[in-house]
Amino acid sequence: MLASIEVHSDISLPDAINQQLSPFSPNNFDGSLCGALLGADKANDVLTGGLNLLCTEQIAIPQGSTASTQGPNTGNINNKTSSVRLTSQAAHSSQQLTNRWSIFSSFEHTSSKQAVSTLLDSYTANQQRFNIGFNYLLSDSTNMGFLINRRTNEGDYDIGGDFADDSIGAVGFIELGLGNEGFLQLSAGRDAVNTERNRSAEFIISSGKDLITSTKSQPKSDFSYSQTQLSAQLGSSWILGATQLTPSLAINWQLNNFGTHTEAGDSGLEITTYDDTQKFLQGIAGVRASWVANFNWGIFAPQLEANFIREFENKGREIEVSFTGDTRSKRFSYNTPAGDSSYLALSAGGVFILKNGWQLFTNLESYSAYDDYNQTGASVGIRAEL
């Protein structure tokens, strides 16, 4: 039978583990190892493996000692921002199509860096995404299409540990012309993600500079989860002299369903995470400025774009976990940090339109005004009309 869940406010994963194991925890009334975790139960009756060994260790704890748990706060928080917008950019036509069919492919590389915060340790990550798809022109102002994407994302926590995601997904989209210059873009997609996470962890009791006891481990989790995406963008194009301005408003929604997954290892510090989901709901107001330069080989259209992004659903979450060595699966919880409520995405790029109808496009993008987090990305692609 599951014990009641202990709820804590703004507590990191290492601190939540420490509260369960420490003899100095506020919820530990007898001052023994794992007193808060065990309650009225005995370790030999309800704990197994390394957790039982840790909680039954016979040690003398001098007065004035302290207990701490070290390691990154590595909950399901690697996806700092929704990927819907970048997928949408790859899906939709870079310039006006003329032939019934066109195919395209693109490659994106993104680098990100998270600074240390109360609920999150610093890390660096690099992501690559490859897209391939097609557009079909239904009328002069309406086209639809489909793309398949493959993504990898690898990162390292500065305090120790790493993570890696590998996903494959598909997106369907349609672009509707509204009047002479307006447009509405709709898309929906789903990704299947395989992830591996290695979490460095250590439980320590010390007295001044003297180490009383220490348990070290690197729990590993290997699991799959799904990402579901929906997007809608409404915009229009205005001609101001030699400049074409394209203001737009967009709504993006994404659901990451991490489900339940268990870490491997036998140190006693391994955990099971239960029924975790992460939601994004973005509102975006943006404007793109583009120009046209004619050459003997074709046309070059440089572009500058700014998007103000408001996150409505990228909030902090309370995640329920239990120790894998606890046969009761007694749950406790920790918190993840909320994403920044608003920030900017600034980009510059261009489209090369060759006389044979082929299009080459490239783009550089950077986040601005996002607290404690930096992200820059570059993409390049090609489109051919058939």
Side-chain angles (χ1 to χ4, degrees), residues 18-328:
N18 193 60
Q19 284 191 358
Q20 299 298 308
L21 304 180
S22 170
F24 316 114
S25 171
N27 297 323
N28 187 343
F29 301 109
D30 61 7
S32 62
L33 275 172
C34 309
L37 172 66
L38 290 169
D41 295 323
K42 294 182 179 180
N44 289 327
D45 294 336
V46 297
L47 305 182
T48 63
L51 184 61
N52 186 37
L53 292 175
L54 187 158
C55 293
T56 56
E57 185 178 5
Q58 299 298 313
I59 56 175
I61 303 177
Q63 187 175 2
S65 298
T66 59
S68 63
T69 302
Q70 307 296 326
N73 192 38
T74 59
N76 300 322
I77 48 182
N78 296 333
N79 301 285
K80 289 290 291 183
T81 57
S82 170
S83 62
V84 178
R85 192 172 56 82
L86 293 179
T87 302
S88 178
Q89 288 176 342
H92 299 297
S93 60
S94 53
Q95 291 291 312
Q96 183 66 41
L97 301 175
T98 56
N99 291 353
R100 184 71 67 182
W101 290 92
S102 68
I103 58 174
F104 64 90
S105 66
S106 64
F107 175 79
E108 306 161 5
H109 176 84
T110 303
S111 297
S112 57
K113 184 173 181 61
Q114 169 69 49
V116 66
S117 63
T118 302
L119 292 177
L120 186 61
D121 291 284
S122 56
Y123 66 81
T124 57
N126 289 283
Q127 176 179 280
Q128 291 80 38
R129 182 195 297 266
F130 177 73
N131 305 294
I132 185 168
F134 69 88
N135 286 81
Y136 178 73
L137 197 62
L138 296 171
S139 68
D140 291 342
S141 60
T142 301
N143 77 87
M144 61 180 296
F146 183 82
L147 74 80
I148 295 174
N149 68 77
R150 175 70 183 273
R151 178 181 65 88
T152 61
N153 184 42
E154 297 180 346
D156 295 289
Y157 288 94
D158 293 345
I159 200 172
D162 56 56
F163 56 88
D165 292 334
D166 189 343
S167 71
I168 187 167
V171 177
F173 55 90
I174 187 168
E175 183 172 337
L176 307 171
L178 303 176
N180 294 328
E181 304 295 342
F183 63 89
L184 174 64
Q185 298 173 346
L186 304 172
S187 64
R190 187 175 177 87
D191 292 355
V193 187
N194 295 317
T195 189
E196 294 182 359
R197 191 169 298 141
N198 297 300
R199 178 175 64 87
S200 296
E202 183 177 11
F203 175 66
I204 303 167
I205 297 179
S206 60
S207 177
K209 296 182 179 180
D210 297 327
L211 181 65
I212 306 303
T213 185
S214 173
T215 300
K216 293 183 178 180
S217 180
Q218 193 167 37
K220 179 180 180 180
S221 54
D222 185 349
F223 62 98
S224 299
Y225 67 93
S226 63
Q227 292 182 333
T228 305
Q229 310 165 4
L230 298 172
S231 175
Q233 183 180 33
L234 180 67
S236 182
S237 295
W238 305 339
I239 303 298
L240 300 176
T243 302
Q244 180 176 352
L245 291 180
T246 306
S248 63
L249 295 173
I251 291 290
N252 295 333
W253 177 84
Q254 180 172 310
L255 172 66
N256 298 332
N257 187 357
F258 298 107
T260 296
H261 52 87
T262 298
E263 293 179 330
D266 194 31
S267 70
L269 300 178
E270 294 77 22
I271 59 173
T272 295
T273 301
Y274 296 94
D275 301 321
D276 183 29
T277 59
Q278 179 184 36
K279 294 180 182 179
F280 296 93
L281 179 61
Q282 296 179 335
I284 303 174
V287 61
R288 182 176 68 243
S290 61
W291 301 265
V292 173
N294 292 288
F295 298 92
N296 292 332
W297 46 262
I299 297 172
F300 173 54
Q303 300 176 347
L304 296 175
E305 186 169 355
N307 286 282
F308 173 78
I309 302 174
R310 173 73 175 179
E311 296 276 6
F312 296 104
E313 279 289 339
N314 190 6
K315 300 177 181 179
R317 310 189 314 284
E318 184 178 292
I319 299 182
E320 299 175 7
V321 297
S322 69
F323 289 107
T324 60
D326 184 352
T327 60
R328 305 163 301 170

Side-chain angles (χ1 to χ4, degrees), residues 310-363:
R310 173 73 175 179
E311 296 276 6
F312 296 104
E313 279 289 339
N314 190 6
K315 300 177 181 179
R317 310 189 314 284
E318 184 178 292
I319 299 182
E320 299 175 7
V321 297
S322 69
F323 289 107
T324 60
D326 184 352
T327 60
R328 305 163 301 170
S329 298
K330 178 184 177 182
R331 299 189 191 185
F332 55 100
S333 63
Y334 71 97
N335 299 94
T336 66
D340 203 347
S341 60
S342 57
Y343 51 97
L344 294 173
L346 305 175
S347 63
V351 181
F352 299 85
I353 306 173
L354 307 182
K355 288 187 175 180
N356 60 6
W358 286 43
Q359 299 179 17
L360 307 176
F361 49 95
T362 184
N363 193 61

